[in-house]
Amino acid sequence: MLLTVPHLLPWNTKGTLVGILSWCHLIGAVSPWVGSFLYHLFMNVNYDEDLYRTLLKVDMIGIWLCQSFGAIPMMAAAVHCLADNVWYCCIFIYCTLSIWGLFKAMTAGSPWERRLCFAPPFLMRMLVMTLRCFGIGGGSPDALIHIILQDLVAVIGASIGALRIPEKWIPGRLDLVLNSHNVMHVMVVLAVCSMHTATLRDLAWMSDPSTCNRASYPPSDREEL
């Protein structure tokens, strides 16, 4: 991803905002693999429980970066054509909910608690996605299906991992392959692919200064960024 994602982002687009959002997407797209790699590489080291919990937190930080930084371009695009004060307010609220989720994730004591820590920012994404479905706020129409898939697939994967499906039905037969952890990681890859596709289309849409004008929205000062 480090070799392909940076070359696909619109770095040369005029405007600082799209550049910042491109960095957010790059961080969000790469971070879960870094955290997951470190966690799985050292998780079986014969050491104490503190090391394992530290590795688990590193993995959670990677997931958090994907869920927070990775989703900021989608949030920004979804409210791109609204008034500036509404835009800044939405981004501030989303960042606040994401930071709260990180704090809770670092202190969670069970898989379900760790997953539910991401519920507040997830619900806000669902809210702006619903508004987007009705043509309120902005966002590329071509990205909508991928916006839906990125969270739907991620939720399904997280639920499968937490419920231990399907190995709880046939214990001992799926220890090496096709267990819930394997399925969850495959679903995460698919979710990130949808996030990447949606972000590219949203950034391209935001790069066109006439998008909000065509939709009869008031001009925004953010286009000067």
Side-chain angles (χ1 to χ4, degrees):
M1 295 190 72
L2 282 172
L3 295 176
T4 58
V5 172
H7 298 290
L8 297 174
L9 294 172
W11 301 106
N12 296 325
T13 302
K14 183 179 179 181
T16 306
L17 178 61
V18 174
I20 294 174
L21 295 178
S22 296
W23 275 110
C24 289
H25 174 61
L26 179 60
I27 294 171
V30 173
S31 59
W33 317 122
V34 176
S36 181
F37 172 78
L38 293 174
Y39 170 72
H40 288 87
L41 182 63
F42 297 106
M43 64 181 293
N44 290 322
V45 173
N46 188 16
Y47 206 65
D48 56 14
E49 183 180 353
D50 291 338
L51 175 63
Y52 177 78
R53 292 192 175 276
T54 300
L55 292 171
L56 189 59
K57 289 180 179 180
V58 170
D59 190 23
M60 291 301 299
I61 290 174
I63 297 172
W64 176 80
L65 287 171
C66 180
Q67 291 287 309
S68 57
F69 276 77
I72 286 178
M74 183 274 287
M75 289 292 302
V79 294
H80 182 64
C81 294
L82 299 180
D84 287 343
N85 57 343
V86 177
W87 189 90
Y88 286 114
C89 183
C90 289
I91 298 299
F92 175 77
I93 292 174
Y94 184 76
C95 291
T96 302
L97 293 176
S98 296
I99 293 173
W100 178 88
L102 175 63
F103 172 76
K104 290 296 185 179
M106 294 296 99
T107 57
S110 69
W112 272 113
E113 286 184 21
R114 287 190 289 271
R115 286 162 174 81
L116 291 176
C117 292
F118 300 104
F122 168 78
L123 292 175
M124 185 169 182
R125 291 200 302 273
M126 294 301 99
L127 174 61
V128 298
M129 186 192 71
T130 302
L131 296 176
R132 187 169 178 162
C133 291
F134 289 97
I136 302 173
S140 171
D142 296 333
L144 183 58
I145 182 62
H146 298 285
I147 294 292
I148 296 172
L149 286 175
Q150 72 176 22
D151 279 313
L152 177 61
V153 173
V155 167
I156 294 174
S159 300
I160 289 174
L163 293 173
R164 300 289 188 264
I165 297 173
E167 65 267 18
K168 71 176 183 179
W169 297 326
I170 43 177
R173 297 186 180 182
L174 300 174
D175 292 341
L176 297 179
V177 68
L178 296 180
N179 54 65
S180 61
H181 198 75
N182 297 151
V183 174
M184 181 269 293
H185 276 290
V186 172
M187 301 293 277
V188 168
V189 171
L190 295 176
V192 173
C193 288
S194 291
M195 180 186 74
H196 177 60
T197 302
T199 301
L200 289 180
R201 296 182 181 183
D202 273 342
L203 291 179
W205 179 86
M206 294 175 68
S207 300
D208 184 355
S210 64
T211 51
C212 293
N213 295 334
R214 290 199 300 266
S216 300
Y217 287 105
S220 171
D221 294 336
R222 295 187 306 276
E223 295 176 1
E224 300 176 359
L225 292 178

